[in-house]
Amino acid sequence: MSDKTVSRRDWFRLRAPAENRMLSKASTGSPSPINTFQEVTQPPNHSGLDLSKLPPLSEAELDWDEVHQLIDDIRNLTDEITLMRSAEKTASRAHAREQLLAAAAALQSGQVNRIQIRYRWDGAQWIDTLERRGESFRLVRIRHEFF
């Protein structure tokens, strides 16, 4: 994300949230959770590949409201969306914007354990994998630069 003014709470968003928002826990004096991008460490290299040439992975835990915000951003701000669904092991680019809502609902309800969304945004190809973990959702994000 090129905009450095986005708060640490909204790091996963593709656009900065509107300024005129409801009061958050932070503004009422209560502590608020802070989601941060955590870099994922490299796995053991058994194949001898140059792992430094791979794009870095980042991950974080999101709640359902944050997943919903991310899905909304992807639907409205990105191009070339491809939806990968683990239950069907299929990729779909046709009608992907509409299918994202159904896939997110299936993830929330537990019908599927994970979805992968590939899209073009901010001059790069992105891959977001959302995985259900109890009441939270793990986001793993990869950014591939265009060469």
Side-chain angles (χ1 to χ4, degrees), residues 83-92 99 103 114-116:
L83 177 62
M84 308 286 289
R85 290 176 291 233
S86 64
E88 301 166 7
K89 294 184 174 56
T90 60
S92 174
Q99 292 176 358
R114 69 188 63 84
I115 59 173
Q116 187 176 86

Side-chain angles (χ1 to χ4, degrees), residues 1 6-15 35 37 60 62-63 65-71 73 119 128 139 141:
M1 179 178 246
V6 174
S7 73
R8 290 180 61 187
R9 172 132 178 90
D10 290 324
W11 66 267
F12 64 91
R13 299 291 309 271
L14 299 182
R15 70 172 155 206
N35 291 318
F37 241 155
L62 304 179
D63 62 25
D65 289 338
E66 293 166 329
V67 169
H68 182 73
Q69 291 169 352
L70 174 61
I71 296 295
D73 285 353
Y119 53 93
D128 286 0
L139 169 63
R141 178 172 281 170

Side-chain angles (χ1 to χ4, degrees), residues 32-94:
S32 64
I34 297 177
N35 291 318
T36 58
F37 241 155
Q38 305 280 332
E39 191 167 316
V40 177
T41 58
Q42 296 285 349
N45 187 357
H46 299 292
S47 64
L49 291 173
D50 183 1
L51 297 180
S52 67
K53 292 184 179 181
L54 296 175
L57 296 175
S58 300
E59 69 176 350
E61 293 290 320
L62 304 179
D63 62 25
W64 173 246
D65 289 338
E66 293 166 329
V67 169
H68 182 73
Q69 291 169 352
L70 174 61
I71 296 295
D72 187 53
D73 285 353
I74 291 171
R75 287 183 70 231
N76 293 308
L77 301 173
T78 67
D79 297 312
E80 299 176 18
I81 300 169
T82 304
L83 177 62
M84 308 286 289
R85 290 176 291 233
S86 64
E88 301 166 7
K89 294 184 174 56
T90 60
S92 174
R93 186 172 279 183

